Amino acid sequence: MLCTIAMLCATMSWLTALPVRVPVDTVPAAPIAEAITGAGGFTDVRPVALQRPSLAVTEDTTPRRRAVMLSDWYGRRLTIHRYGSYAMLPLFAGQYLLGQRLLSQKDGVFDGTRRVPIDANVRSTHRTVALGVATLFTVNTTTGLWNAWQARNDGSASRRRTLHMLSMLSADAGFVVTGLMASRAVERRPSDARAHRNVALASIGLATVGATLMWF
């Protein structure tokens, strides 16, 4: 009996000294242990040091819009520019009607159907409205170019705004030529007055297209 008990104790001591073994299909698929397969289809599970996954640093390539600082006067100039454009078309309409009346009277004087001189009041009013158009375009050109220069670093400028600026500058040049032709229109034949009118109409057309580009 004592021999049997001694043999059992020796066997238990030997078993406790063996490494822990589990079947291969029961090993958890966790990254915190290293499985080493041994003989007999069992696996020793030994803890291993964890490695933190490397975080790839991706470069942000999204283009960022640059902030543009605009002064308080930018908004004031824009308001002046906008209201000036609203007054432009009534001035054009009045100037065209006055010019047509003068041209009709000039034709009558030259072909003999009109026996009185050209109406001085109509001519004076025509010159006054022309001065108003010149003043308006001077103010709007100044405010427009000033604001365009201040916002030159703004990348959101549209193609429509560029076309507006180019058409208005072209109209400015046309009105300068119209003014230079005014004296010939007064002193010479009706053909010179018609040339004066045609250049003015072309300039009016350019200015109208440029303004409507920003209205709609």
Side-chain angles (χ1 to χ4, degrees), residues 15-148:
L15 288 174
T16 56
L18 293 175
V20 180
R21 301 191 177 198
V22 294
V24 176
D25 56 356
T26 62
V27 176
I32 60 173
E34 179 182 8
I36 303 176
T37 305
F42 290 90
T43 301
D44 290 339
V45 180
R46 302 176 183 177
V48 296
L50 294 177
Q51 295 182 353
R52 296 179 63 87
S54 61
L55 299 177
V57 179
T58 58
E59 184 180 356
D60 186 8
T61 58
T62 304
R64 298 181 183 274
R65 182 176 296 178
R66 181 185 299 177
V68 179
M69 298 297 294
L70 301 176
S71 65
D72 293 337
W73 273 101
Y74 180 91
R76 296 188 185 102
R77 287 190 298 267
L78 182 61
T79 301
I80 295 171
H81 190 88
R82 183 181 295 116
Y83 281 104
S85 67
Y86 296 154
M88 182 182 68
L89 292 184
L91 285 175
F92 284 165
Q95 187 72 336
Y96 173 75
L97 293 175
L98 291 168
Q100 283 295 108
R101 187 172 177 181
L102 286 174
L103 182 59
S104 176
Q105 292 181 5
K106 195 177 188 68
D107 284 335
V109 170
F110 270 80
D111 62 16
T113 58
R114 181 180 176 87
R115 301 189 180 278
V116 293
I118 295 174
D119 193 335
N121 291 328
V122 176
R123 178 167 288 169
S124 176
T125 305
H126 182 69
R127 288 174 176 171
T128 301
V129 178
L131 180 61
V133 172
T135 303
L136 170 64
F137 270 77
T138 300
V139 172
N140 267 23
T141 301
T142 302
T143 54
L145 290 178
W146 198 338
N147 277 8

Side-chain angles (χ1 to χ4, degrees), residues 85 88-89 92 133 136-137 163-164 166-172 175 200-215:
S85 67
M88 182 182 68
L89 292 184
F92 284 165
V133 172
L136 170 64
F137 270 77
L163 290 175
H164 165 75
L166 292 176
S167 61
M168 299 307 287
L169 290 176
S170 300
D172 283 343
F175 283 123
L201 287 176
S203 304
I204 288 173
L206 283 172
T208 303
V209 170
T212 53
L213 283 174
M214 302 305 294
W215 288 344

